[in-house]
Amino acid sequence: MFAYYLDLALRSLRRSPVLTSLMVLAIGLGIGASMTMLTVLHVMTRDPLPELSAQLYYPHLDPLPANYPSHNEWGDPSDNFTWPDAMALLKAHRADQQAAMAGGRVLAWPVQAGRMPFRVGGRYATAGFFELFGLRFEQGRGWTAADDEARARLVVLSHALAMKLFGRTDVVGRTVRLGDARFQVTGVTADWAPQPQFYADGSGRGNYGESDRFFLPLATALDLDLSVSGNQASWKEGGRTSGNYTWLQVWVRLKDAAQARAYRQFLVDYSASQQKLGRFERPPGNAALYPMMGWLAHQKLVPNDLRLQLWLALGFLVVCLVNIVALLLAKFLRRSGEVSVRRALGARRRDIFVQFGVEAALVGSLGGLLGVAIAQAGLWSVRQRPDSYAHVARMDLSMLALTVLLAIAGSLLAGMLPAWRASRVAPALQLKAQ
Amino acid sequence: MALRPILSSLRHHKLTAGLLVLQVALTLAIVANAAFMVVQRTQRIHTPSGLAEQQLSLVRVEGTAKDENHQARHAADLDALRRIPGVQAAVAVGWALPFSSSINSYGVCPSEEALKRAMAASSLDHSGCLSIDTYSGSPGFLQALGLRVIAGRDFMPGEYVTGDVPAIMLTRAAARKFFGDKDPLGQVVYAGKQSSRVVGIVSDVVRPMLRGDGSDGEVMLWPQLPDDNETTYLLRSAPADRARVLAAATAALQALDPNRLIPEAGRRTYTQMREDYFQRDATMIGLLLSAGLGLLFVTALGVAGLANFWVQQRTRTIGIRRAIGATRTDILRYFQAENFLIVGGGVVLGMILALALNLLLMSRYELPRLPLWYLPAGALALWALGQLSVLAPALRAAAVPPVVATRSV
């Protein structure tokens, strides 16, 4: 029966090719535009580290003076940590895994003399960093807490940087020059590029950018005064190690909800103790513990413009669907004569409904195919934008399936009402009119 | 023209006509708001910077050696740059410039008391101090940028230093905020530990990143010499010469010292810098325009498609009407009037929806209120669009010969 309906539908569509192609075009445009924007939002809000995200948390303290403006052009300065607070949290060791970190860019010097140095981005971190985020080593290993204390000149390279500097990855024990200092390589990691770069300072909105190429001890970076990127705010005299200068990020790994609750209480207690010392001016209740995905939401990595674009695309889709409903309705009702003949010959209402449903679904499927093509073109054009998130805008299988599904569901939904109306046509009345 | 027969015929197509009304309404709501946003963004993109942008280009140079004598290096570089044919001015500038996205801002206070208040409160709020963006450069940077001294005097050669500056200039907006109607010339302002005398008022120039809160013109200029491993040189030339001058400058700087980096991203004309800064707005304008045009297209398609069906469906009726004396014009007018009614229903609903959508956008995306005249303008546009789309089917209907009435369908 289905094949017969499909044949009927094809015939009916072929009878008015211009209108059919315009309907397919309308639905394709609507689906294509909304899927482009949905995909961009999907890649921007997806879990960057699914295997560990449930256990990763970002502690949040509020060391700012009572009436410090809480937001500047780059975001909230209390999203970052001061050196004393970060070190206190690490020393207290209330989490299974923990690390403090900051991003930075340095000049990297190729080993062959005469080659020009280049700027490369990496992370300054405490020893727990690799365990915390589960980085995989191709060669060697990270450094230890004792190396942190000793401000050792050690570095871990990513696969990509090792290849660029040495042309190989078995380089443990060799030295590289970064900035004005020399570092001994202790390990080489497999390239690691969670997108968004959830652990970095989100204020630059650059968290979809290039991944880290090197890692070196935070204390060493401080010692050498290496440049730090991201939002740095201070409200009193004092340098990077003072309690009036926020610039660090801290992440912890907690087993379960009970441990998370305990950790949050620890943060509140810590804030209260700092307030007693006269350091913190804001209520200890400002201390918070964000799960990783909650932290990303808090950072508002999705620009308002993108949300606006999504709403625009969805509005467009709705108008396209209303348009399809009206056209299909007119088209089906015009065939009332045909329907009443079939009904008089014994077709049930359900049969009529299915027949027109198939026709609507066919329009939808064709529109969906066109929509996939338009969405691909749309994503390609998004990737040409210079925004940092743009290059990750690619359709994965789930979004592809969703596109086709959305198109068919959309046009089925759009076809349902017209098909139902057509199936209500009374046989006798129409025959009389003829 | 009697509307009653049209209305009673529409009653037979309640659902279809209703859907078309809904579609027109949604289209008007979205298109009116989209058009408003396009106008807003276009105005933003054309924010004047106050600089002679058309004539400016920038080259950023990164030294790789430490312990260099930056001032000697800059002097040698500038000397070479000024020799390039077509270069009218060359200066070293600080990293912050209008639309540079890098900020060098200070809490600046108009008096010592204000400074003390701000320090005590650890906040600029209610202290009389302002967050001011600063621009700096080597001697002549004011003229090179295309800024003019409109009161007082320019910086003197001896005032250009690498540390705390003795003299500053303010824009009119900043001077008014600080001193009101008092003469700003000769006043002392405090930025952190340094105190400097206001020697002049400079022509309007905007902040590096626009805030859009009315404070975009609050800027201070100071004669601080760039003194860093990384320097930006600003070149002024005829607009048409800029590409050639940039290439020649890069070559000259690289020749002076092959051991430094001149990154591609740091070489651009001011026009490119403005485009980069406003790129998101440009994208948004493009998207809003294409969505708006797409909607109008789909709506026109819906109007034409439905009219087409109705003409086919009513061929016999039309034939009868023709046979009993209706002229072609009567038939044409009938379909036009019908379309006018449907679109009319749509625009009334659409105006309400447009205002509701605008309210939603105002609350969620800080959009200003939609000027009311967008609504009648949008309504007229949709009426015109409807009449255009219905024309072809209506003409076909008018061409139906009366003899159809005698045939069975």
Side-chain angles (χ1 to χ4, degrees):
Chain A
M1 222 41 197
F2 180 77
Y4 172 60
Y5 289 147
L6 199 63
D7 184 50
L8 279 182
L10 276 173
R11 273 168 204 275
S12 150
L13 293 180
R14 231 178 285 142
R15 220 173 300 143
S16 45
V18 178
L19 195 83
T20 303
S21 39
L22 287 178
M23 281 202 283
V24 169
L25 181 64
I27 212 166
L29 281 175
I31 298 284
S34 18
M35 286 317 292
T36 303
M37 293 327 300
L38 274 177
T39 305
V40 170
L41 239 65
H42 169 72
V43 298
M44 289 186 76
T45 50
R46 72 179 155 201
D47 188 340
L49 202 65
E51 57 272 27
L52 285 178
S53 61
Q55 298 174 40
L56 289 174
Y57 291 86
Y58 192 87
H60 183 269
L61 297 175
D62 202 347
L64 300 179
N67 45 7
Y68 191 85
S70 62
H71 267 79
N72 57 28
E73 278 98 335
W74 300 277
D76 185 351
S78 76
D79 279 352
N80 290 327
F81 277 80
T82 67
W83 174 265
D85 293 330
M87 291 306 124
L89 257 52
L90 296 193
K91 278 215 186 72
H93 225 287
R94 298 298 178 94
D96 295 348
Q97 311 277 352
Q98 52 205 337
M101 61 206 74
R105 287 176 77 75
V106 297
L107 271 185
W109 299 74
V111 281
Q112 294 103 319
R115 295 264 299 272
M116 286 292 281
F118 52 91
R119 282 213 180 266
V120 61
R123 197 122 323 245
Y124 317 132
T126 54
F129 182 87
F130 304 99
E131 282 276 296
L132 174 68
F133 294 140
L135 267 76
R136 216 160 45 72
F137 277 87
E138 279 182 12
Q139 304 274 337
R141 47 177 190 81
W143 60 85
T144 64
D147 294 326
D148 274 345
E149 288 287 324
R151 311 194 162 208
R153 305 272 168 100
L154 298 175
V155 70
V156 167
L157 301 179
S158 70
H159 174 91
L161 186 59
M163 289 304 286
K164 192 160 179 187
L165 290 173
F166 295 100
R168 51 201 289 185
T169 58
D170 52 339
V171 292
V172 172
R174 297 189 58 175
T175 36
V176 290
R177 182 175 163 199
L178 299 173
D180 296 307
R182 288 179 188 283
F183 294 82
Q184 191 180 19
V185 179
T186 65
V188 174
T189 65
D191 278 333
W192 188 67
Q195 296 283 341
Q197 217 169 347
F198 66 92
Y199 52 91
D201 172 35
S203 54
R205 301 283 177 271
N207 278 12
Y208 299 88
E210 210 177 86
S211 53
D212 289 324
R213 296 287 191 239
F214 67 86
F215 308 89
L216 55 86
L218 180 63
T220 311
L222 194 63
D223 214 24
L224 293 168
D225 198 24
L226 297 182
S227 76
V228 170
S229 51
N231 189 5
Q232 301 168 55
S234 70
W235 52 92
K236 271 194 191 110
E237 296 294 314
R240 278 189 190 148
T241 51
S242 80
N244 317 309
Y245 193 118
T246 55
W247 60 292
L248 291 162
Q249 294 81 48
V250 173
W251 283 89
V252 296
R253 207 157 115 191
L254 304 168
K255 273 195 302 286
D256 49 32
Q259 207 186 1
R261 262 196 309 279
Y263 201 94
R264 203 194 99 75
Q265 192 52 49
F266 159 65
L267 291 175
V268 173
D269 294 346
Y270 175 81
S271 298
S273 75
Q274 292 301 308
Q275 198 179 31
K276 233 171 257 157
L277 289 174
R279 252 197 79 218
F280 285 13
E281 295 177 11
R282 299 191 182 187
N286 277 13
L289 185 68
Y290 289 90
M292 188 230 265
M293 292 311 284
W295 180 245
L296 290 181
H298 167 79
Q299 296 249 31
K300 296 199 180 64
L301 296 180
V302 179
N304 262 349
D305 269 9
L306 265 183
R307 290 194 194 280
L308 212 59
Q309 285 165 24
L310 176 68
W311 288 116
L312 193 66
L314 288 177
F316 187 54
L317 177 63
V318 168
V319 173
C320 287
L321 286 181
V322 171
N323 187 47
I324 301 292
V325 177
L327 286 180
L328 283 178
L329 195 61
K331 187 166 186 183
F332 291 169
L333 286 183
R334 195 165 61 91
R335 280 150 64 192
S336 298
E338 174 194 329
V339 173
S340 44
V341 173
R342 286 202 57 214
R343 290 275 281 124
L345 289 177
R348 290 163 300 173
R349 282 193 171 144
R350 230 190 61 198
D351 298 321
I352 306 291
F353 184 75
V354 171
Q355 181 201 336
F356 286 120
V358 167
E359 190 169 331
L362 189 63
V363 172
S365 312
L366 291 174
L369 283 181
L370 185 66
V372 171
I374 290 176
Q376 293 296 351
L379 287 172
W380 177 85
S381 79
V382 169
R383 286 197 294 275
Q384 308 308 307
R385 294 188 203 166
D387 294 289
S388 58
Y389 62 79
H391 70 280
V392 292
R394 261 169 219 290
M395 195 171 269
D396 51 21
L397 259 178
S398 62
M399 289 312 273
L400 194 73
L402 186 64
T403 310
V404 179
L405 224 71
L406 184 68
I408 297 181
S411 59
L412 262 184
L413 216 67
M416 206 85 93
L417 177 77
W420 179 80
R421 284 283 284 125
S423 70
R424 308 304 292 179
V425 169
L429 221 92
Q430 288 297 320
L431 285 179
K432 241 191 299 184
Q434 294 242 324
Chain B
M1 165 142 231
L3 292 181
R4 184 172 303 193
I6 301 181
L7 285 173
S8 74
S9 138
L10 276 179
R11 217 166 293 142
H12 288 296
H13 303 280
K14 261 198 296 275
L15 202 52
T16 344
L19 285 168
L20 200 56
V21 166
L22 182 63
Q23 186 181 347
V24 169
L26 287 172
T27 304
L28 176 63
I30 298 176
V31 168
N33 279 286
F36 179 48
M37 281 191 266
V38 167
V39 170
Q40 292 275 312
R41 301 269 175 155
T42 312
Q43 277 169 356
R44 197 176 123 82
I45 282 190
H46 291 107
T47 309
S49 64
L51 308 185
E53 281 178 51
Q54 294 300 314
Q55 303 171 41
L56 302 180
S57 349
L58 300 151
V59 192
R60 196 177 81 228
V61 181
E62 292 176 30
T64 57
K66 238 186 181 151
D67 306 325
E68 233 184 330
N69 180 344
H70 297 133
Q71 296 314 317
R73 161 69 64 204
H74 296 167
D77 285 348
L78 287 174
D79 190 45
L81 291 174
R82 288 183 185 125
R83 282 173 211 274
I84 296 172
V87 170
Q88 294 156 5
V91 289
V93 287
W95 67 81
L97 286 171
F99 309 138
S100 65
S101 304
S102 312
I103 296 180
N104 189 20
S105 72
Y106 281 83
V108 180
C109 303
S111 67
E112 236 173 325
E113 298 75 62
L115 177 67
K116 278 191 192 124
R117 274 199 299 277
M119 294 285 266
S122 298
S123 165
L124 295 179
D125 295 346
H126 317 298
S127 63
C129 306
L130 296 174
S131 157
I132 293 266
D133 278 293
T134 63
Y135 298 136
S136 61
S138 61
F141 80 99
L142 223 74
Q143 289 73 17
L145 283 167
L147 299 176
R148 283 169 297 107
V149 180
I150 50 180
R153 61 164 177 85
D154 194 356
F155 299 123
M156 290 189 288
E159 287 170 335
Y160 286 88
V161 289
T162 53
D164 289 357
V165 293
I168 60 126
M169 274 194 236
L170 294 172
T171 55
R172 258 181 307 202
R176 199 171 307 123
K177 263 282 181 57
F178 278 140
F179 305 110
D181 293 330
K182 210 161 49 167
D183 183 9
L185 295 179
Q187 301 285 346
V188 175
V189 297
Y190 300 81
K193 278 178 295 179
Q194 63 176 321
S195 53
S196 328
R197 198 162 291 281
V198 180
V199 299
I201 300 297
V202 77
S203 56
D204 292 340
V205 55
V206 295
R207 288 183 189 273
M209 290 171 86
L210 299 179
R211 296 184 183 179
D213 60 357
S215 75
D216 286 340
E218 290 166 15
V219 169
M220 172 168 93
L221 289 128
W222 61 17
Q224 193 175 56
L225 293 165
D227 192 33
D228 204 348
N229 255 344
E230 195 173 309
T231 322
T232 302
Y233 292 115
L234 180 101
L235 301 161
R236 187 158 175 179
S237 66
D241 286 347
R242 284 184 299 176
R244 179 182 58 78
V245 163
L246 261 180
T250 311
L253 291 169
Q254 198 76 74
L256 267 182
D257 176 4
N259 285 321
R260 56 182 171 181
L261 307 176
I262 307 180
E264 180 85 47
R267 276 180 304 206
R268 44 188 185 168
T269 64
Y270 223 99
T271 315
Q272 284 166 324
M273 192 147 109
R274 173 183 273 273
E275 277 168 11
D276 290 348
Y277 181 81
F278 288 112
Q279 172 266 326
R280 282 193 177 175
D281 298 282
T283 309
M284 201 64 191
I285 289 175
L287 281 173
L288 288 165
L289 280 179
S290 40
L293 289 177
L295 278 173
L296 292 176
F297 167 73
V298 170
T299 300
L301 173 74
V303 169
L306 274 188
N308 227 340
F309 282 130
W310 284 341
V311 169
Q312 286 177 13
Q313 207 170 28
R314 297 179 199 157
T315 307
R316 192 142 176 264
T317 332
I318 297 167
I320 293 170
R321 290 194 56 206
R322 291 279 283 127
I324 59 174
T327 63
R328 282 172 196 273
T329 320
D330 288 336
I331 305 292
L332 186 67
R333 291 279 175 276
Y334 176 87
F335 280 96
Q336 284 176 332
E338 183 184 67
N339 179 265
F340 186 82
L341 279 181
I342 292 179
V343 176
V347 295
V348 170
L349 184 60
M351 289 196 215
I352 299 167
L353 279 182
L355 289 178
L357 183 61
N358 179 239
L359 282 179
L360 188 73
L361 290 170
M362 277 167 64
S363 65
R364 298 193 57 179
Y365 300 101
E366 292 165 15
L367 210 75
R369 185 176 292 283
L370 180 74
L372 284 180
W373 64 266
Y374 273 76
L375 301 178
L380 282 180
L382 276 169
W383 257 314
L385 184 79
Q387 291 298 317
L388 270 179
S389 327
V390 86
L391 198 58
L395 281 173
R396 195 134 39 82
V400 169
V403 69
V404 169
T406 59
R407 286 189 212 133
S408 70
V409 186

